[in-house]
Amino acid sequence: MATCTTFERKLLSYVEISKENRRGHLKIMVLIHYHTQRCNPRLRVVRCWKKPFFATVFLTFLMSAGFLFNSDNRLLRADDHLDFDGFNNETGANSLIVPNIIHFIRFNLTEYSFVDYLCLRAAFLRQRPDFVYIHTDVPEPEKGGYRGKYWNMIKKDKKLMSSIRFLPIQLATEIFGQPLSKDWQVYHGSDLARIRTMMKYGGIYLDNDVLVLQNLDKYRRFEISMNWDEGDSLGSQVIIAHKNARFLNRWLDSYHDYRPNIWYYNAGDLPIRGILNFHPELLHRVKGEFGADSKKSLKHFTEEGYEGWRKNDAIHLLVNHLYSVKPEDFKPLVFDEEMIQTYKFPFGQMAREVLAALNETDSNYF
Ligand SMILES: *[C@@H]1O[C@H](CO)[C@@H](O)[C@H](O)[C@H]1NC(C)=O
Ligand SMILES: *[C@@H]1O[C@H](CO)[C@@H](O)[C@H](O)[C@H]1NC(C)=O
Ligand SMILES: *[C@@H]1O[C@H](CO)[C@@H](O)[C@H](O)[C@H]1NC(C)=O
C-alpha cells in the first residue's frame, strides 16, 4: 500500500468496511482505479481482461463509476444503516465498521503549536487515515486563515495535505436552551462539538494534544471505544465510534442536565453516573490504552525514565492543563523541535521518535 494514492486507500477502506456481498464489485472498482491512475496498470488490468465475466463487470462499472470520483463522502457511507441492537462490546464486529477518518476540532485557533503539529503528524503517520477532517471556525484556513511556522511545515507534507478536509464549525452558545458557561464556552462547546461530529460522521476523534503511539485499527471493529479507567471519569479525548453508536445519542441527551459551573460534569462524570453504570454494554471500555489518566500524563513531564507510556495506543499529553494537575511541579515551557532534542523527560523521547520516523518518511516522499 506504500505507493497508493489517497483515493486508492479510500477505495480499499471502502472494501474493508463494506458488507460481504458487495466485495466482489468493489474489487473491480479498485482495479479501475489502478487503471486510471496507472498504478501497476498492466499486471492487474490484464489479469482482469483474461476473464470475460470480470471484463464485463469491469466495463459496467467503468461506465457507472464516475459518481465515485465526484464525491468523497459517498465512499464512506457503506454502513450507514448499521443497527447496534444487541451488539457485543467485547468481541466487536468481524470487519472494520468505523470509517478511517481522523477528526480534529479547532476553535479559535489560527496557528499550530509544536505539540499540535507533532500530534497531527503522528496521527497521520501511524493511523494512515483516508481523511483528516479539521473542523474549524477560522474562515478560509487554506487561503491564509491558518498560518505560522508549524502550519507551513504541515503544508510541506503533500500526502497529509491531500487528505485534509476543512469543515466549518461554529462554537455552540447554548444546549437545549441552556446557555453555555461563559468562562468555559470553548471547552464545553468543544465537548458538544465532538459528540455531534461523531454522530454525523463517525471515525476517530482526537484532542489536539493527543499523541497517537500505535495504529488504532483494532478499535475500528467496535460500536464505540473510549477510555474509562477504574474508578475514574470517562475520557473524551479519544473517541473511536461508528456514527450510529447508541451511546452518543444518550450522551448528547444527557445535556438536558447541563451544569455550566462544573468543568467535567457533562463530558466525563454524568455519562458514567447516568448512562454507563446502567448500560456498560454500550461501550467498548478501554482501560488506560488511550492515555486519559491525568496523573500518568504528568509523569511524562516530570519523571525521568518513566516508561509506562510504551504500552499505550495513545496519550493525552495535557500540555495545556499541566498547571491544573499539579501546580507545584509546573514549569512553563514552550516546546519546539530544538529544545525537544535534549528534553530529558519521557515526552522528549516520544517526540523524538515521531520526528525520526517523519524524517525517514519525508525523505521517501519525493
Ligand atoms: C479567541 O482568541 C482570542 C485571542 O486569543 C481571545 O481574545 C478571544 O476571547 C477568544 N474567543 C473565544 C470565544 O474564546
Ligand atoms: C461489555 O459490557 C459488559 C456489560 O454487558 C461489561 O461488564 C464489560 O465490562 C464490557 N466490556 C468492555 C470491554 O467494555
Ligand atoms: C533527519 O535526517 C537527516 C539526514 O538524513 C539528519 O541529518 C537529521 O539529523 C535527521 N533529523 C532527525 C530529527 O532525526
Side-chain angles (χ1 to χ4, degrees), residues 246-311:
R246 293 162 294 170
F247 174 65
L248 292 171
N249 218 336
R250 297 195 190 195
W251 188 7
L252 184 61
D253 198 52
S254 72
Y255 273 80
H256 278 109
D257 175 17
Y258 171 60
R259 307 265 169 101
N261 302 325
I262 312 179
W263 166 263
Y264 209 54
Y265 178 74
N266 292 89
D269 294 334
L270 185 59
I272 287 187
R273 266 191 278 156
I275 307 167
L276 292 173
N277 277 344
F278 306 103
H279 292 288
E281 76 280 3
L282 294 180
L283 190 79
H284 178 69
R285 181 174 185 176
V286 177
K287 287 189 190 170
E289 285 89 347
F290 289 171
D293 184 334
S294 50
K295 283 179 219 73
K296 282 193 187 144
S297 288
L298 186 72
K299 291 185 184 188
H300 306 138
F301 301 89
T302 55
E303 201 173 303
E304 216 177 324
Y306 172 68
E307 291 274 331
W309 56 276
R310 292 221 177 256
K311 59 181 192 316

Side-chain angles (χ1 to χ4, degrees), residues 57-220:
V57 182
F58 178 83
L59 275 177
T60 313
F61 268 91
L62 193 59
M63 287 184 286
S64 59
F67 80 93
L68 276 172
F69 292 82
N70 298 331
S71 157
D72 289 344
N73 291 333
R74 215 174 294 192
L75 285 170
L76 299 159
R77 303 245 168 100
D79 284 326
D80 247 21
H81 303 296
L82 263 188
D83 176 356
F84 286 104
D85 235 14
F87 187 83
N88 189 318
N89 65 331
E90 305 259 353
T91 55
N94 293 326
S95 55
L96 301 176
I97 54 172
V98 171
N100 201 5
I101 306 173
I102 292 182
H103 299 272
F104 290 105
I105 295 176
R106 298 179 65 82
F107 281 122
N108 207 18
L109 292 172
T110 54
E111 296 208 20
Y112 277 74
S113 68
F114 171 71
V115 171
D116 292 351
Y117 165 82
L118 191 78
C119 290
L120 169 61
R121 295 208 65 189
F124 188 70
L125 182 75
R126 290 167 172 163
Q127 182 55 31
R128 287 289 170 215
D130 299 319
F131 294 104
V132 176
Y133 282 9
I134 299 179
H135 306 264
T136 176
D137 59 351
V138 173
E140 312 222 309
E142 282 167 297
K143 295 178 188 139
Y146 274 17
R147 45 185 181 261
K149 168 181 163 187
Y150 293 108
W151 178 244
N152 290 334
M153 284 163 70
I154 291 164
K155 280 201 290 197
K156 287 190 191 146
D157 184 341
K158 300 263 165 20
K159 277 193 184 174
L160 170 56
M161 286 307 287
S162 74
S163 78
I164 290 182
R165 299 289 179 275
F166 289 104
L167 290 114
I169 192 170
Q170 288 307 318
L171 188 59
T173 53
E174 56 97 40
I175 178 68
F176 302 133
Q178 311 153 96
L180 293 193
S181 149
K182 281 224 162 50
D183 292 342
W184 294 334
Q185 187 191 357
V186 168
Y187 304 97
H188 288 178
S190 153
D191 293 336
L192 280 165
R194 74 191 66 179
I195 302 173
R196 287 173 166 152
T197 296
M198 294 315 266
M199 289 174 72
K200 185 160 181 197
Y201 303 99
I204 302 171
Y205 166 80
L206 301 173
D207 262 13
N208 291 302
D209 62 342
V210 165
L211 188 65
V212 172
L213 300 177
Q214 302 291 338
N215 184 283
L216 300 167
D217 278 354
K218 60 175 180 270
Y219 301 104
R220 290 176 52 214

Side-chain angles (χ1 to χ4, degrees), residues 114 118 211 340 346-356:
F114 171 71
L118 191 78
L211 188 65
I340 207 71
F347 174 58
Q349 182 61 27
M350 289 175 209
R352 289 190 293 274
E353 286 178 18
V354 176
L355 294 178

